[in-house]
PDB file of all heavy atoms in Angstrom:
ATOM      1  N   LEU W 332     100.738 104.313 119.019  1.00  0.00           N
ATOM      2  CA  LEU W 332     100.621 105.248 117.904  1.00  0.00           C
ATOM      3  C   LEU W 332     100.894 104.574 116.572  1.00  0.00           C
ATOM      4  O   LEU W 332     100.195 104.858 115.582  1.00  0.00           O
ATOM      5  CB  LEU W 332     101.568 106.465 118.091  1.00  0.00           C
ATOM      6  CG  LEU W 332     101.437 107.575 117.050  1.00  0.00           C
ATOM      7  CD1 LEU W 332     100.016 108.109 116.932  1.00  0.00           C
ATOM      8  CD2 LEU W 332     102.391 108.710 117.397  1.00  0.00           C
ATOM      9  N   VAL W 333     101.847 103.680 116.542  1.00  0.00           N
ATOM     10  CA  VAL W 333     102.127 102.938 115.314  1.00  0.00           C
ATOM     11  C   VAL W 333     100.910 102.107 114.904  1.00  0.00           C
ATOM     12  O   VAL W 333     100.502 102.076 113.723  1.00  0.00           O
ATOM     13  CB  VAL W 333     103.370 102.026 115.478  1.00  0.00           C
ATOM     14  CG1 VAL W 333     103.528 101.053 114.316  1.00  0.00           C
ATOM     15  CG2 VAL W 333     104.614 102.905 115.663  1.00  0.00           C
ATOM     16  N   GLN W 334     100.278 101.438 115.871  1.00  0.00           N
ATOM     17  CA  GLN W 334      99.103 100.653 115.569  1.00  0.00           C
ATOM     18  C   GLN W 334      97.942 101.513 115.080  1.00  0.00           C
ATOM     19  O   GLN W 334      97.261 101.189 114.116  1.00  0.00           O
ATOM     20  CB  GLN W 334      98.633  99.904 116.830  1.00  0.00           C
ATOM     21  CG  GLN W 334      99.568  98.762 117.224  1.00  0.00           C
ATOM     22  CD  GLN W 334      99.080  98.053 118.466  1.00  0.00           C
ATOM     23  OE1 GLN W 334      97.918  97.715 118.569  1.00  0.00           O
ATOM     24  NE2 GLN W 334      99.991  97.846 119.420  1.00  0.00           N
ATOM     25  N   ALA W 335      97.732 102.650 115.723  1.00  0.00           N
ATOM     26  CA  ALA W 335      96.663 103.556 115.300  1.00  0.00           C
ATOM     27  C   ALA W 335      96.881 104.064 113.895  1.00  0.00           C
ATOM     28  O   ALA W 335      95.965 104.141 113.097  1.00  0.00           O
ATOM     29  CB  ALA W 335      96.536 104.721 116.295  1.00  0.00           C
ATOM     30  N   MET W 336      98.136 104.461 113.590  1.00  0.00           N
ATOM     31  CA  MET W 336      98.428 104.968 112.257  1.00  0.00           C
ATOM     32  C   MET W 336      98.266 103.864 111.200  1.00  0.00           C
ATOM     33  O   MET W 336      97.725 104.125 110.115  1.00  0.00           O
ATOM     34  CB  MET W 336      99.884 105.505 112.252  1.00  0.00           C
ATOM     35  CG  MET W 336     100.045 106.810 113.018  1.00  0.00           C
ATOM     36  SD  MET W 336     101.768 107.289 113.259  1.00  0.00           S
ATOM     37  CE  MET W 336     102.349 107.470 111.589  1.00  0.00           C
ATOM     38  N   ALA W 337      98.693 102.671 111.510  1.00  0.00           N
ATOM     39  CA  ALA W 337      98.579 101.553 110.558  1.00  0.00           C
ATOM     40  C   ALA W 337      97.130 101.232 110.272  1.00  0.00           C
ATOM     41  O   ALA W 337      96.725 101.068 109.115  1.00  0.00           O
ATOM     42  CB  ALA W 337      99.317 100.332 111.110  1.00  0.00           C
ATOM     43  N   ALA W 338      96.351 101.101 111.322  1.00  0.00           N
ATOM     44  CA  ALA W 338      94.924 100.757 111.157  1.00  0.00           C
ATOM     45  C   ALA W 338      94.189 101.881 110.437  1.00  0.00           C
ATOM     46  O   ALA W 338      93.345 101.606 109.545  1.00  0.00           O
ATOM     47  CB  ALA W 338      94.269 100.469 112.506  1.00  0.00           C
ATOM     48  N   GLN W 339      94.479 103.127 110.778  1.00  0.00           N
ATOM     49  CA  GLN W 339      93.781 104.240 110.125  1.00  0.00           C
ATOM     50  C   GLN W 339      94.059 104.223 108.602  1.00  0.00           C
ATOM     51  O   GLN W 339      93.138 104.393 107.795  1.00  0.00           O
ATOM     52  CB  GLN W 339      94.201 105.564 110.718  1.00  0.00           C
ATOM     53  CG  GLN W 339      93.426 106.746 110.143  1.00  0.00           C
ATOM     54  CD  GLN W 339      93.813 108.054 110.743  1.00  0.00           C
ATOM     55  OE1 GLN W 339      95.001 108.407 110.709  1.00  0.00           O
ATOM     56  NE2 GLN W 339      92.864 108.768 111.287  1.00  0.00           N
ATOM     57  N   ARG W 340      95.281 103.981 108.223  1.00  0.00           N
ATOM     58  CA  ARG W 340      95.612 103.961 106.775  1.00  0.00           C
ATOM     59  C   ARG W 340      94.873 102.825 106.074  1.00  0.00           C
ATOM     60  O   ARG W 340      94.294 102.997 105.006  1.00  0.00           O
ATOM     61  CB  ARG W 340      97.113 103.822 106.569  1.00  0.00           C
ATOM     62  CG  ARG W 340      97.500 103.822 105.107  1.00  0.00           C
ATOM     63  CD  ARG W 340      99.017 103.903 104.934  1.00  0.00           C
ATOM     64  NE  ARG W 340      99.345 104.045 103.554  1.00  0.00           N
ATOM     65  CZ  ARG W 340      99.472 103.051 102.679  1.00  0.00           C
ATOM     66  NH1 ARG W 340      99.278 101.821 103.066  1.00  0.00           N
ATOM     67  NH2 ARG W 340      99.793 103.279 101.412  1.00  0.00           N
ATOM     68  N   TRP W 341      94.839 101.649 106.678  1.00  0.00           N
ATOM     69  CA  TRP W 341      94.155 100.489 106.092  1.00  0.00           C
ATOM     70  C   TRP W 341      92.654 100.797 105.928  1.00  0.00           C
ATOM     71  O   TRP W 341      92.091 100.564 104.887  1.00  0.00           O
ATOM     72  CB  TRP W 341      94.419  99.283 106.970  1.00  0.00           C
ATOM     73  CG  TRP W 341      93.970  97.952 106.446  1.00  0.00           C
ATOM     74  CD1 TRP W 341      93.205  97.706 105.328  1.00  0.00           C
ATOM     75  CD2 TRP W 341      94.195  96.687 107.034  1.00  0.00           C
ATOM     76  NE1 TRP W 341      93.005  96.352 105.193  1.00  0.00           N
ATOM     77  CE2 TRP W 341      93.596  95.703 106.220  1.00  0.00           C
ATOM     78  CE3 TRP W 341      94.868  96.284 108.180  1.00  0.00           C
ATOM     79  CZ2 TRP W 341      93.637  94.360 106.505  1.00  0.00           C
ATOM     80  CZ3 TRP W 341      94.914  94.931 108.449  1.00  0.00           C
ATOM     81  CH2 TRP W 341      94.305  93.963 107.645  1.00  0.00           C
ATOM     82  N   LEU W 342      92.069 101.347 107.001  1.00  0.00           N
ATOM     83  CA  LEU W 342      90.638 101.685 106.958  1.00  0.00           C
ATOM     84  C   LEU W 342      90.360 102.776 105.914  1.00  0.00           C
ATOM     85  O   LEU W 342      89.378 102.743 105.200  1.00  0.00           O
ATOM     86  CB  LEU W 342      90.168 102.123 108.338  1.00  0.00           C
ATOM     87  CG  LEU W 342      90.120 101.039 109.374  1.00  0.00           C
ATOM     88  CD1 LEU W 342      89.983 101.630 110.784  1.00  0.00           C
ATOM     89  CD2 LEU W 342      89.007 100.026 109.080  1.00  0.00           C
ATOM     90  N   MET W 343      91.260 103.780 105.855  1.00  0.00           N
ATOM     91  CA  MET W 343      91.046 104.888 104.935  1.00  0.00           C
ATOM     92  C   MET W 343      91.028 104.378 103.493  1.00  0.00           C
ATOM     93  O   MET W 343      90.275 104.868 102.677  1.00  0.00           O
ATOM     94  CB  MET W 343      92.151 105.932 105.137  1.00  0.00           C
ATOM     95  CG  MET W 343      91.788 107.270 104.643  1.00  0.00           C
ATOM     96  SD  MET W 343      93.002 108.598 104.967  1.00  0.00           S
ATOM     97  CE  MET W 343      94.246 107.892 105.964  1.00  0.00           C
ATOM     98  N   ARG W 344      91.887 103.425 103.196  1.00  0.00           N
ATOM     99  CA  ARG W 344      91.913 102.873 101.848  1.00  0.00           C
ATOM    100  C   ARG W 344      90.627 102.154 101.480  1.00  0.00           C
ATOM    101  O   ARG W 344      90.332 101.935 100.307  1.00  0.00           O
ATOM    102  CB  ARG W 344      93.156 101.994 101.664  1.00  0.00           C
ATOM    103  CG  ARG W 344      94.461 102.831 101.750  1.00  0.00           C
ATOM    104  CD  ARG W 344      95.683 102.010 101.616  1.00  0.00           C
ATOM    105  NE  ARG W 344      95.759 101.276 100.367  1.00  0.00           N
ATOM    106  CZ  ARG W 344      96.276 101.730  99.237  1.00  0.00           C
ATOM    107  NH1 ARG W 344      96.708 102.962  99.171  1.00  0.00           N
ATOM    108  NH2 ARG W 344      96.343 100.944  98.163  1.00  0.00           N
ATOM    109  N   LYS W 345      89.856 101.787 102.474  1.00  0.00           N
ATOM    110  CA  LYS W 345      88.538 101.171 102.251  1.00  0.00           C
ATOM    111  C   LYS W 345      87.411 102.186 102.353  1.00  0.00           C
ATOM    112  O   LYS W 345      86.229 101.826 102.311  1.00  0.00           O
ATOM    113  CB  LYS W 345      88.298 100.048 103.286  1.00  0.00           C
ATOM    114  CG  LYS W 345      89.157  98.834 103.081  1.00  0.00           C
ATOM    115  CD  LYS W 345      88.733  98.103 101.825  1.00  0.00           C
ATOM    116  CE  LYS W 345      89.410  96.772 101.722  1.00  0.00           C
ATOM    117  NZ  LYS W 345      89.021  96.074 100.514  1.00  0.00           N
ATOM    118  N   GLY W 346      87.776 103.459 102.570  1.00  0.00           N
ATOM    119  CA  GLY W 346      86.747 104.516 102.694  1.00  0.00           C
ATOM    120  C   GLY W 346      86.055 104.536 104.029  1.00  0.00           C
ATOM    121  O   GLY W 346      84.948 105.048 104.144  1.00  0.00           O
ATOM    122  N   LEU W 347      86.718 103.964 105.047  1.00  0.00           N
ATOM    123  CA  LEU W 347      86.141 103.912 106.400  1.00  0.00           C
ATOM    124  C   LEU W 347      86.854 104.915 107.312  1.00  0.00           C
ATOM    125  O   LEU W 347      88.044 104.772 107.559  1.00  0.00           O
ATOM    126  CB  LEU W 347      86.232 102.497 106.959  1.00  0.00           C
ATOM    127  CG  LEU W 347      85.458 101.438 106.150  1.00  0.00           C
ATOM    128  CD1 LEU W 347      85.784 100.044 106.686  1.00  0.00           C
ATOM    129  CD2 LEU W 347      83.973 101.701 106.218  1.00  0.00           C
ATOM    130  N   PRO W 348      86.153 105.905 107.803  1.00  0.00           N
ATOM    131  CA  PRO W 348      86.806 106.940 108.628  1.00  0.00           C
ATOM    132  C   PRO W 348      87.142 106.451 110.044  1.00  0.00           C
ATOM    133  O   PRO W 348      86.500 105.559 110.573  1.00  0.00           O
ATOM    134  CB  PRO W 348      85.767 108.055 108.668  1.00  0.00           C
ATOM    135  CG  PRO W 348      84.463 107.341 108.536  1.00  0.00           C
ATOM    136  CD  PRO W 348      84.728 106.159 107.608  1.00  0.00           C
ATOM    137  N   SER W 349      88.171 107.086 110.571  1.00  0.00           N
ATOM    138  CA  SER W 349      88.581 106.827 111.955  1.00  0.00           C
ATOM    139  C   SER W 349      89.356 108.039 112.427  1.00  0.00           C
ATOM    140  O   SER W 349      89.725 108.907 111.608  1.00  0.00           O
ATOM    141  CB  SER W 349      89.459 105.573 112.073  1.00  0.00           C
ATOM    142  OG  SER W 349      90.629 105.717 111.290  1.00  0.00           O
ATOM    143  N   GLU W 350      89.612 108.118 113.719  1.00  0.00           N
ATOM    144  CA  GLU W 350      90.319 109.277 114.269  1.00  0.00           C
ATOM    145  C   GLU W 350      91.360 108.813 115.282  1.00  0.00           C
ATOM    146  O   GLU W 350      91.042 108.039 116.197  1.00  0.00           O
ATOM    147  CB  GLU W 350      89.337 110.206 114.962  1.00  0.00           C
ATOM    148  CG  GLU W 350      89.997 111.434 115.572  1.00  0.00           C
ATOM    149  CD  GLU W 350      89.018 112.337 116.310  1.00  0.00           C
ATOM    150  OE1 GLU W 350      87.851 112.000 116.414  1.00  0.00           O
ATOM    151  OE2 GLU W 350      89.480 113.376 116.783  1.00  0.00           O
ATOM    152  N   ILE W 351      92.588 109.287 115.098  1.00  0.00           N
ATOM    153  CA  ILE W 351      93.664 109.034 116.066  1.00  0.00           C
ATOM    154  C   ILE W 351      93.576 110.112 117.141  1.00  0.00           C
ATOM    155  O   ILE W 351      93.461 111.291 116.848  1.00  0.00           O
ATOM    156  CB  ILE W 351      95.042 109.078 115.401  1.00  0.00           C
ATOM    157  CG1 ILE W 351      95.174 107.970 114.383  1.00  0.00           C
ATOM    158  CG2 ILE W 351      96.156 108.973 116.472  1.00  0.00           C
ATOM    159  CD1 ILE W 351      96.433 108.039 113.560  1.00  0.00           C
ATOM    160  N   VAL W 352      93.609 109.683 118.402  1.00  0.00           N
ATOM    161  CA  VAL W 352      93.608 110.601 119.535  1.00  0.00           C
ATOM    162  C   VAL W 352      94.861 110.309 120.341  1.00  0.00           C
ATOM    163  O   VAL W 352      95.203 109.167 120.583  1.00  0.00           O
ATOM    164  CB  VAL W 352      92.363 110.435 120.425  1.00  0.00           C
ATOM    165  CG1 VAL W 352      92.390 111.394 121.589  1.00  0.00           C
ATOM    166  CG2 VAL W 352      91.111 110.608 119.608  1.00  0.00           C
ATOM    167  N   VAL W 353      95.560 111.380 120.751  1.00  0.00           N
ATOM    168  CA  VAL W 353      96.734 111.233 121.615  1.00  0.00           C
ATOM    169  C   VAL W 353      96.389 111.881 122.943  1.00  0.00           C
ATOM    170  O   VAL W 353      95.884 113.003 122.984  1.00  0.00           O
ATOM    171  CB  VAL W 353      97.975 111.912 120.997  1.00  0.00           C
ATOM    172  CG1 VAL W 353      99.157 111.812 121.920  1.00  0.00           C
ATOM    173  CG2 VAL W 353      98.295 111.291 119.640  1.00  0.00           C
ATOM    174  N   GLY W 354      96.621 111.145 124.021  1.00  0.00           N
ATOM    175  CA  GLY W 354      96.291 111.652 125.335  1.00  0.00           C
ATOM    176  C   GLY W 354      97.388 111.408 126.335  1.00  0.00           C
ATOM    177  O   GLY W 354      98.414 110.809 126.001  1.00  0.00           O
ATOM    178  N   ALA W 355      97.157 111.841 127.541  1.00  0.00           N
ATOM    179  CA  ALA W 355      98.155 111.688 128.586  1.00  0.00           C
ATOM    180  C   ALA W 355      97.462 111.405 129.916  1.00  0.00           C
ATOM    181  O   ALA W 355      96.306 111.751 130.119  1.00  0.00           O
ATOM    182  CB  ALA W 355      99.006 112.969 128.700  1.00  0.00           C
ATOM    183  N   ALA W 356      98.241 110.794 130.807  1.00  0.00           N
ATOM    184  CA  ALA W 356      97.788 110.531 132.179  1.00  0.00           C
ATOM    185  C   ALA W 356      98.980 110.770 133.101  1.00  0.00           C
ATOM    186  O   ALA W 356     100.123 110.598 132.704  1.00  0.00           O
ATOM    187  CB  ALA W 356      97.291 109.094 132.316  1.00  0.00           C
ATOM    188  N   LYS W 357      98.642 111.149 134.323  1.00  0.00           N
ATOM    189  CA  LYS W 357      99.695 111.337 135.324  1.00  0.00           C
ATOM    190  C   LYS W 357      99.506 110.272 136.399  1.00  0.00           C
ATOM    191  O   LYS W 357      98.414 110.113 136.942  1.00  0.00           O
ATOM    192  CB  LYS W 357      99.621 112.715 135.935  1.00  0.00           C
ATOM    193  CG  LYS W 357     100.784 113.070 136.820  1.00  0.00           C
ATOM    194  CD  LYS W 357     100.715 114.515 137.259  1.00  0.00           C
ATOM    195  CE  LYS W 357     101.908 114.853 138.124  1.00  0.00           C
ATOM    196  NZ  LYS W 357     101.849 116.220 138.591  1.00  0.00           N
ATOM    197  N   HIS W 358     100.563 109.537 136.656  1.00  0.00           N
ATOM    198  CA  HIS W 358     100.533 108.504 137.693  1.00  0.00           C
ATOM    199  C   HIS W 358     100.544 109.156 139.078  1.00  0.00           C
ATOM    200  O   HIS W 358     101.010 110.283 139.227  1.00  0.00           O
ATOM    201  CB  HIS W 358     101.743 107.577 137.557  1.00  0.00           C
ATOM    202  CG  HIS W 358     101.681 106.682 136.378  1.00  0.00           C
ATOM    203  ND1 HIS W 358     101.086 105.447 136.390  1.00  0.00           N
ATOM    204  CD2 HIS W 358     102.161 106.854 135.104  1.00  0.00           C
ATOM    205  CE1 HIS W 358     101.181 104.905 135.187  1.00  0.00           C
ATOM    206  NE2 HIS W 358     101.830 105.726 134.426  1.00  0.00           N
ATOM    207  N   PRO W 359     100.051 108.460 140.090  1.00  0.00           N
ATOM    208  CA  PRO W 359     100.074 109.014 141.463  1.00  0.00           C
ATOM    209  C   PRO W 359     101.508 109.409 141.922  1.00  0.00           C
ATOM    210  O   PRO W 359     101.637 110.321 142.688  1.00  0.00           O
ATOM    211  CB  PRO W 359      99.529 107.899 142.309  1.00  0.00           C
ATOM    212  CG  PRO W 359      98.683 107.077 141.384  1.00  0.00           C
ATOM    213  CD  PRO W 359      99.354 107.186 140.074  1.00  0.00           C
ATOM    214  N   ASP W 360     102.514 108.706 141.409  1.00  0.00           N
ATOM    215  CA  ASP W 360     103.887 109.042 141.798  1.00  0.00           C
ATOM    216  C   ASP W 360     104.484 110.187 140.972  1.00  0.00           C
ATOM    217  O   ASP W 360     105.659 110.526 141.127  1.00  0.00           O
ATOM    218  CB  ASP W 360     104.772 107.797 141.721  1.00  0.00           C
ATOM    219  CG  ASP W 360     104.956 107.264 140.310  1.00  0.00           C
ATOM    220  OD1 ASP W 360     104.448 107.890 139.350  1.00  0.00           O
ATOM    221  OD2 ASP W 360     105.609 106.218 140.123  1.00  0.00           O
ATOM    222  N   GLY W 361     103.660 110.783 140.092  1.00  0.00           N
ATOM    223  CA  GLY W 361     104.104 111.943 139.348  1.00  0.00           C
ATOM    224  C   GLY W 361     104.608 111.655 137.939  1.00  0.00           C
ATOM    225  O   GLY W 361     104.847 112.576 137.168  1.00  0.00           O
TER     226      GLY W 361
END
Side-chain angles (χ1 to χ4, degrees):
L332 185 55
V333 170
Q334 290 179 47
M336 290 169 59
Q339 185 180 55
R340 182 172 186 275
W341 189 353
L342 291 166
M343 201 175 355
R344 293 179 58 88
K345 290 290 190 181
L347 298 172
S349 61
E350 180 182 4
I351 296 173
V352 180
V353 178
K357 188 173 181 182
H358 289 272
D360 65 4

